[in-house]
Amino acid sequence: MMGRLKSDQGQLFYEFHLSEAVPEDHLVRKIDSALDFSWLRSELAPHYSSMGRPSIDPELMIRMLVVGYVFALRSERLICREVQVNLAYRWFCRLGIEDAIPDHSAFSRARNERFREGDVFRHVFERVVEACIVAGLVGGEGFAVDASLIQADANKQRSIAGQDWRRDRDPKRSSRAVKEYLATLDDTAWGAASDVVPKFVSPSDPAAQWTGAHKGPAFFAYSDNYLIDVKFGVILDVEASRAIRQAEVGAAKTMIERTEERFGLKPERLVGDTAYGAAPMLNWLVEEKGIAPHIPVFDKSKRDDGTFSRSDFRYDPTSDVYHCPAGNILTTTGTLVNGGTTLIYLARKHDCDGCKLRAQCCPKVPFRKIPRDRHEAARDVARSLAGTDGFDRSRRERKKIEMRFAHLKRILRLGRLRLRGPRGAQDEFVLAAIAQNLRRLASLAARPPPAQALCIA
């Protein structure tokens, strides 16, 4: 017999476990087991007044933001709407059936004031990394570094020419994003990264860099810098910077040093692309940090006109001379040129005059010159590692960091920022890295679900 739903009179009382509505294998159960917010209230206590009306629980707002970024809910309005109707999200946020959801406007003030003053997102990120370390997901032997462009919330149609932008404006009369940029003009990741005047500047977000790095239409963007452990692709550090190579290299140094200071982790090798293969960066890795650079050397000495390149000349470190293909010697006076970065090695003119290889060496000048960077020894170390089995393995492992960025843009939908300014970009990048690490931790080292909590309505 066909049944019929009986709903002629509602029940007066309901009793059930909220956790029974959440499947045992749901992602919120797994990420909840990895989070510990017992420290949060004491950390934020100095940023709240001891008088007045009680605020919204900061743990609730952090949990709502985490669940939003984990499940690609970019808008805070949408996060509030989804937590309102989704029982799994309510359970994760420690909300009962009848508990009210905070208004979306509460997030903006908390994020721009107390959360940033207490650097809460960074603390949450570091504790998630610690959980990954405890779970055995971090090897510590090899790190990879890279940066990806994320489109800024800036409109080309409302931009101005770079030479028309004035840095000496009054911060008190500027927007929050402009104030943040003006405060970072001396930071190597922002204003001090380069003296080059950009072609266009966005008045609403001047820290965003006008770039055409994708070989397509140019746009305003930030660089999202990741430092990952190559064992399972866990993100060890994240940093926002301008979308230029100098800023990305500076961010890489910052992340390596901060990871060593915070977690006591220093890799034996660092994997990166050619953007990190400049001589100062390689020298910093080899001489100062003792890290093997599995990085292609950034080198423009290769000639394509048929004459000998610098690699055809053999350097003798004992005598500090170069030997040319004909066997003659090139020496240096020891005076640094090009801003104190380069030594010039010169051949003797009478050696070149009668040389049978002159047409292949210096057909248009009286004698041959060889420039040598003062950090060339570190470049030689990097060159010696290229082509080894370990270097080839590192090149394959570098795909893991590229996969992290692909996951960031396609799964978490962070292709364009919603927040403006250096702090806004940093907040979004850190929250996204928290979400990625939590998803990785949940998939590789999930613990049993927590005990059920009774909810009576």
Side-chain angles (χ1 to χ4, degrees):
M1 180 176 66
M2 182 181 296
R4 181 183 296 274
L5 178 64
K6 297 180 181 180
S7 58
D8 51 337
Q9 183 177 359
Q11 293 179 239
L12 295 178
F13 299 98
Y14 296 86
E15 180 178 346
F16 67 98
H17 290 280
L18 179 59
S19 61
E20 291 178 354
V22 184
E24 295 293 330
D25 59 348
H26 199 287
L27 182 58
V28 295
R29 288 190 179 275
K30 299 175 182 178
I31 64 176
D32 182 69
S33 65
L35 288 174
D36 176 19
F37 288 113
S38 59
W39 56 272
L40 184 61
R41 298 188 68 84
S42 60
E43 193 79 22
L44 284 175
H47 304 286
Y48 283 84
S49 173
S50 59
M51 302 173 59
R53 182 180 176 183
S55 72
I56 298 172
D57 190 340
E59 180 177 346
L60 170 60
M61 288 192 284
I62 296 294
R63 284 183 173 270
M64 290 179 68
L65 286 172
V66 167
V67 80
Y69 276 80
V70 167
F71 293 99
L73 306 174
R74 297 290 314 289
S75 165
E76 282 145 9
R77 289 177 183 265
L78 183 57
I79 292 174
C80 294
R81 188 183 308 162
E82 290 298 316
V83 173
Q84 176 73 35
V85 301
N86 191 306
L87 294 181
Y89 297 168
R90 276 184 172 269
W91 175 87
F92 177 79
C93 294
R94 303 293 193 265
L95 291 171
I97 292 296
E98 295 182 344
D99 288 336
I101 306 299
D103 187 80
H104 66 87
S105 62
F107 288 91
S108 177
R109 183 171 182 181
R111 181 182 60 244
N112 293 325
E113 295 178 5
R114 298 181 180 93
F115 290 171
R116 287 184 181 174
E117 291 170 1
D119 207 10
V120 171
F121 297 147
R122 170 63 61 177
H123 294 329
V124 174
F125 171 78
E126 290 177 348
R127 289 175 183 269
V128 172
V129 173
E130 288 175 345
C132 293
I133 295 173
V134 171
L137 303 184
V138 176
E141 181 269 336
F143 291 175
V145 64
D146 204 355
S148 183
L149 296 181
I150 305 296
Q151 188 174 356
D153 184 25
N155 191 339
K156 164 63 173 66
Q157 304 304 321
R158 299 181 180 180
S159 63
I160 61 175
Q163 62 268 21
D164 295 336
W165 166 256
R166 296 181 59 85
R167 294 185 174 187
D168 57 351
R169 60 184 61 206
D170 184 6
K172 296 181 180 180
R173 303 177 61 184
S174 303
S175 65
R176 179 184 290 111
V178 175
K179 290 178 182 177
E180 291 177 5
Y181 176 63
L182 294 175
T184 59
L185 290 178
D186 295 330
D187 194 328
T188 54
W190 301 103
S194 173
D195 294 329
V196 177
V197 177
K199 186 175 182 180
F200 296 104
V201 172
S202 171
S204 61
D205 193 357
Q209 182 77 23
W210 179 255
T211 178
H214 284 170
K215 309 301 181 183
F219 58 98
F220 287 107
Y222 285 90
S223 278
D224 186 6
N225 300 271
Y226 275 0
L227 179 70
I228 73 163
D229 183 87
V230 297
K231 183 178 181 180
F232 286 110
V234 172
I235 302 169
L236 297 176
D237 207 343
V238 53
E239 186 74 12
S241 73
R242 289 180 65 187
I244 56 176
R245 183 172 60 87
Q246 301 94 314
E248 293 169 359
V249 171
K253 293 181 179 180
T254 298
M255 293 188 295
I256 291 171
E257 291 181 330
R258 189 162 53 199
T259 300
E260 182 178 3
E261 178 183 354
R262 181 64 182 85
F263 306 111
L265 296 175
K266 189 177 79 169
E268 297 177 8
R269 56 191 171 95
L270 179 70
V271 186
D273 58 22
T274 313
Y276 303 92
M281 178 64 177
L282 295 176
N283 183 75
W284 182 80
L285 289 171
V286 173
E287 300 297 336
E288 297 186 31
K289 305 302 293 183
I291 300 173
H294 287 199
I295 301 171
V297 177
F298 184 77
D299 191 354
K300 293 185 177 180
S301 65
K302 183 68 176 178
R303 294 189 174 187
D304 54 8
D305 59 356
T307 60
F308 293 132
S309 299
R310 184 172 59 193
S311 59
D312 296 314
F313 291 73
R314 181 176 59 85
Y315 178 70
D316 182 0
T318 304
S319 303
D320 190 23
V321 297
Y322 273 96
H323 296 272
C324 76
N328 295 315
I329 294 176
L330 288 77
T331 59
T332 181
T333 62
T335 302
L336 291 168
V337 298
N338 294 338
T341 63
T342 308
L343 289 169
I344 301 297
Y345 289 75
L346 306 174
R348 291 180 294 182
K349 184 177 181 300
H350 79 271
D351 288 338
C352 294
D353 286 340
C355 182
K356 60 182 180 180
L357 298 179
R358 179 171 181 174
Q360 295 176 265
C361 186
C362 53
K364 298 181 181 180
V365 292
F367 52 89
R368 183 62 186 262
K369 302 178 182 179
I370 295 292
R372 180 179 175 84
D373 193 280
R374 64 191 181 99
H375 299 316
E376 195 68 24
R379 287 156 58 96
D380 289 339
V381 171
R383 291 189 186 100
S384 68
L385 295 173
T388 63
D389 292 341
F391 187 89
D392 292 339
R393 177 166 61 94
S394 294
R395 304 311 297 165
R396 292 191 297 270
E397 290 174 335
R398 199 174 74 85
K399 296 179 181 178
K400 294 181 180 180
I401 196 168
E402 295 171 350
M403 292 169 63
R404 294 288 83 200
F405 287 126
H407 180 270
L408 176 74
K409 296 179 179 180
R410 296 183 181 182
I411 305 303
L412 300 189
R413 301 177 186 175
L414 190 64
R416 180 186 175 97
L417 294 172
R418 293 184 61 253
L419 306 181
R420 293 175 177 173
R423 295 298 301 272
Q426 183 73 8
D427 287 350
E428 290 216 65
F429 292 161
V430 172
L431 281 167
I434 291 170
Q436 288 184 288
N437 278 347
L438 284 173
R439 292 175 70 111
R440 178 53 54 95
L441 181 61
S443 64
L444 297 177
R447 291 183 293 214
Q452 295 181 344
L454 182 64
C455 177
I456 301 177

